[in-house]
Amino acid sequence: MKRIKIAAPVKRNSTRRDKIHQVLTEKRSFLSSQEIHKVLIRQGISIGIATVYRQLESLVQQGRADTIISPKGERLYSNCSQAETHHHHIICRICGAAEELDIPEVEKLSKIFAQHHKYTDVSHSLELFGVCFSCASIQSSSIKSKRKPKLS
Amino acid sequence: MKRIKIAAPVKRNSTRRDKIHQVLTEKRSFLSSQEIHKVLIRQGISIGIATVYRQLESLVQQGRADTIISPKGERLYSNCSQAETHHHHIICRICGAAEELDIPEVEKLSKIFAQHHKYTDVSHSLELFGVCFSCASIQSSSIKSKRKPKLS
DNA sequence: TTACTTGCAAACGGTTTGCATCGAG
DNA sequence: CTCGATGCAAACCGTTTGCAAGTAA
């Protein structure tokens, strides 16, 4: 039962990874792997879905992308502009647009509750979901049934 | 394009639903549908996985169960003792044990950030994940590799 | 009897993996 | 040349659905 140490593979440059990252930075919203794949295909870039999954994982590990799990259980990715610090998001249910939030109070609250319940090694997940201003405008001036929310 | 109104079906009593609810109240933790199914089978109760999914959904709608999505994207359920009010949980990563938390500050913060970013119709998800006291005790006194976390 | 509940198996949708091939260094 | 990156298809895994049979009221 010996521990075998496996060196992390050296990442080479990858055109695909750059393309994926580009999609994330252009669209300022949380996108699923599948959506990113569709965007790239539409742009005429030949890429397999497996590569999208693999490179998104790689971007997250490099701190170049954020990932959350949607209320539906789908994994969503977005460009990360604050690689260093833990932060949260407010995400539009209709269009997926996301903005980064700094909510330092949550870190404090998390620690207080952890102590109180004798929990250690505590992390937390917090995301806000709502309807952004522009989607709210469109919604109020058009037939509602035509606008399907991306996220439940 | 007429809206057809479908009356919600009248729920009859269901032995299965009660059994599922019983598992949730006995185990004070968040369990997946699959885990609940296994528990019932182990108890000698014949039940199909589809019924477990359907009745869990029904329990959630009745406010008798809470549901969250784990960091892995799996849907988890637990007994809900505060049907009326929105609340959060602190959940043990190792054993799944969960305790209900009242964090009224989060509701306020949520509203403030929503206003600031001009978002409407805002909801939020917040769960704390950590290692509970008893799991931490066991962990420090045994071989770590033997204890696999339920939740990542 | 009516119509909700159940179990089974098949279908689904997102994600991961095995493998042969490509290509960066 | 080496070994990571890629595409494809198959495998996986949790979840949902269609349907026929069971059962509460």
Side-chain angles (χ1 to χ4, degrees):
Chain A
M1 267 278 239
K2 218 186 232 182
R3 281 227 171 213
I4 297 155
K5 207 168 195 176
I6 299 164
V10 175
K11 294 266 179 238
R12 292 179 177 165
N13 281 343
S14 151
T15 325
R16 304 301 139 96
R17 184 162 59 240
D18 296 341
K19 292 287 180 194
I20 290 169
H21 190 238
Q22 201 183 320
V23 172
L24 292 183
T25 50
E26 282 169 7
K27 308 245 173 190
R28 299 201 169 181
S29 57
F30 273 92
L31 300 168
S32 68
S33 307
Q34 312 267 354
E35 286 171 324
I36 293 165
H37 184 237
K38 275 182 212 150
V39 169
L40 291 169
I41 294 294
R42 231 179 286 134
Q43 289 180 2
I45 293 156
S46 149
I47 186 172
I49 188 70
T51 304
V52 176
Y53 278 101
R54 285 189 277 232
Q55 292 303 349
L56 279 170
E57 174 59 26
S58 160
L59 285 170
V60 169
Q61 283 182 358
Q62 292 175 17
R64 298 209 281 152
D66 275 332
T67 178
I68 62 162
I69 303 223
S70 81
K72 281 176 192 152
E74 222 181 350
R75 186 143 240 131
L76 305 178
Y77 300 84
S78 83
N79 179 47
C80 179
S81 59
Q82 299 183 32
E84 310 309 324
T85 57
H86 179 74
H87 55 275
H88 308 101
H89 302 89
I90 186 160
I91 302 154
C92 177
R93 234 179 252 122
I94 309 282
C95 69
E99 294 174 60
E100 297 189 352
L101 303 179
D102 259 329
I103 319 184
E105 292 92 332
V106 176
E107 323 295 323
K108 281 181 211 158
L109 287 167
S110 167
K111 274 178 199 157
I112 290 168
F113 279 96
Q115 261 181 12
H116 186 253
H117 289 272
K118 297 188 181 170
Y119 271 59
T120 48
D121 196 15
V122 172
S123 62
H124 62 267
S125 68
L126 169 64
E127 306 297 344
L128 308 191
F129 295 93
V131 179
C132 75
F133 186 71
S134 75
C135 281
S137 312
I138 296 166
Q139 201 165 41
S140 62
S141 66
S142 75
I143 299 140
K144 287 186 185 178
S145 59
K146 280 210 175 175
R147 294 179 59 71
K148 293 175 197 164
K150 271 190 61 172
L151 311 168
S152 67
Chain B
M1 267 278 239
K2 215 186 235 182
R3 281 229 171 213
I4 297 156
K5 207 169 195 175
I6 299 164
V10 175
K11 293 269 179 234
R12 292 178 177 167
N13 281 341
S14 150
T15 325
R16 303 301 138 95
R17 185 162 59 240
D18 296 341
K19 292 289 181 192
I20 291 170
H21 190 239
Q22 201 183 320
V23 172
L24 291 183
T25 49
E26 283 169 6
K27 309 246 172 189
R28 300 202 167 182
S29 57
F30 273 93
L31 300 169
S32 68
S33 308
Q34 312 267 354
E35 287 171 322
I36 293 164
H37 183 236
K38 274 182 213 152
V39 169
L40 291 169
I41 294 294
R42 232 179 285 134
Q43 290 180 2
I45 294 156
S46 148
I47 186 171
I49 189 71
T51 302
V52 176
Y53 278 101
R54 285 190 276 234
Q55 292 304 349
L56 280 170
E57 175 59 26
S58 161
L59 286 169
V60 170
Q61 283 181 358
Q62 292 176 16
R64 299 210 279 151
D66 276 334
T67 176
I68 62 163
I69 303 220
S70 81
K72 280 176 194 155
E74 222 181 352
R75 186 143 239 131
L76 305 179
Y77 300 85
S78 83
N79 179 47
C80 178
S81 60
Q82 300 184 33
E84 310 309 323
T85 58
H86 179 74
H87 56 273
H88 308 101
H89 302 89
I90 186 161
I91 302 154
C92 177
R93 230 179 255 121
I94 310 281
C95 70
E99 293 175 60
E100 297 189 353
L101 303 179
D102 259 328
I103 319 184
E105 292 92 332
V106 176
E107 324 295 323
K108 282 181 212 159
L109 287 167
S110 168
K111 275 178 198 158
I112 292 168
F113 278 97
Q115 260 181 15
H116 186 253
H117 290 272
K118 298 187 181 171
Y119 271 59
T120 47
D121 197 14
V122 172
S123 62
H124 62 266
S125 67
L126 169 63
E127 307 297 344
L128 309 191
F129 295 93
V131 179
C132 74
F133 185 72
S134 76
C135 281
S137 312
I138 296 166
Q139 203 166 40
S140 62
S141 66
S142 75
I143 299 140
K144 287 185 185 180
S145 59
K146 280 211 176 174
R147 294 177 59 72
K148 294 175 196 165
K150 271 190 60 171
L151 312 168
S152 68

